[in-house]
Amino acid sequence: MYTQEIRVINSKGTILNVRNNTVTTSNTGNLNPVENDIWFDTSSSPTTIKIYNGTTWVKLSPTATEGSIFFGSVTGELTEDNSQLFWDNINNRLGIGTSSPTNKLHVTGAMRTEGILNSDGTLGRPSYRFKNDTDTGMYSPVADEISFSVGGIEALNIDEISNNTTVTIKQTLKLNGHILDENNSAGNTGQILSATTTGTGWVNSSTINTDTQKIDIYTLNADGKNLEISLENDAEIAKQTNLSALIITGDVSGTLAAATVKKIQSIDVSNINPIDGQTLVYDSTISKYIPKTTFTPTVSECYPNAIQTVAESSNFTTINFQSQDFTPNSSDYTNTSDGIIVLKAGRYKITYRITSEVINNVRVGGEFQLIKNTISVNNTKSYSYQNSSLVNKSTVMMVKILDLLKNDKIGVEGRVFESDRGIPDSLTIIPSGTMLTIEKIN
């Protein structure tokens, strides 16, 4: 098939037909092509259309390897380079610098962009992560906040509130280099990082004792507010610090120098001023601890050290108690030969025991009573009865509760009130069976 046919007149005046090219369909090219000849090359599928440029056959309808993406060459022709630009049509992936993309966009080599709008990501799947470590990377938990996770654990967080950013280390911070302060200084050996009005700065620290010395003096002075502290063998005088301004709260409140006990085990303490000898006790009627005088029982006891007699008479005879088994507290009692003097007012339990013996083989009745300051005490009488020389001993005992005043004296009297003889008789008081005891019970 010929194309571009034109007519020309040669030098002899003859009209000739001139055909500029030939169109050929074959799996091999024309052996004698002229410029602009067309060849439908059927040696490949699909058929390739080529044109002869006077030197070689050039493709008019280019074909490519599967996945190729055409681009213009330096000569302006369409060309391909699958190792640098490739489309995986099966998995819908674009490879740049690789013909085997593993993600939607796979770039092998450095990449530059004006900005990437990532998703927020999560702790276990950060938005910026790594091919072989998908739970390690950077993500955004909430607005204005960035976190870094390692192995699905949050390690560092940066947030912004009111134009102030805070960096929070969530795990262990390990330093292999220097820390720079607000002056861009790494500091000198022995300095410490201290807060300033504008940030932080390295400052000189006080002399720090690094030996094994112990505090050997830590005494709170008598004024109740100065604590004295000293290190052992440090050749330095003891240091004092004033703790009077130390605020105490809770069950004890106030300052150290004038602390006030407000509660004991969360129970209120009354503000009633105590008096000498009182202790703090719980009062259930007001649900508070109150100061109260507590009672400590005291006792005195005495007995005769010699036999004495009481005669048959209308009058009583004072029984003497000259001896004692122990020395009573001198602030509570004074023991005398005719009784016991109480030195404190209060309530007392008084006990007397009298053992008597008849002198003659007669029947004798004895009568005994307590006396307070030489006056008989009501309802304190007791009676004995001796029948004969065979039954010649008898013991009586009386217990009485009395409210006594300071310096009241308590004693015992006795008499024979009757015998079966017509003449007066008497009773002998036996020391081993006779005693007088006073016990303060309130």
Side-chain angles (χ1 to χ4, degrees), residues 299-318:
V299 67
S300 180
E301 181 180 284
C302 56
Y303 60 89
N305 61 5
I307 294 175
Q308 66 181 100
T309 61
V310 294
E312 183 176 346
S313 171
S314 60
N315 298 319
F316 284 85
T317 299
T318 299

Side-chain angles (χ1 to χ4, degrees), residues 367-380:
E367 182 180 11
F368 304 92
Q369 67 180 6
L370 280 177
I371 57 173
K372 181 178 74 171
N373 301 327
T374 71
I375 300 174
S376 63
V377 180
N378 292 334
N379 302 316
T380 62

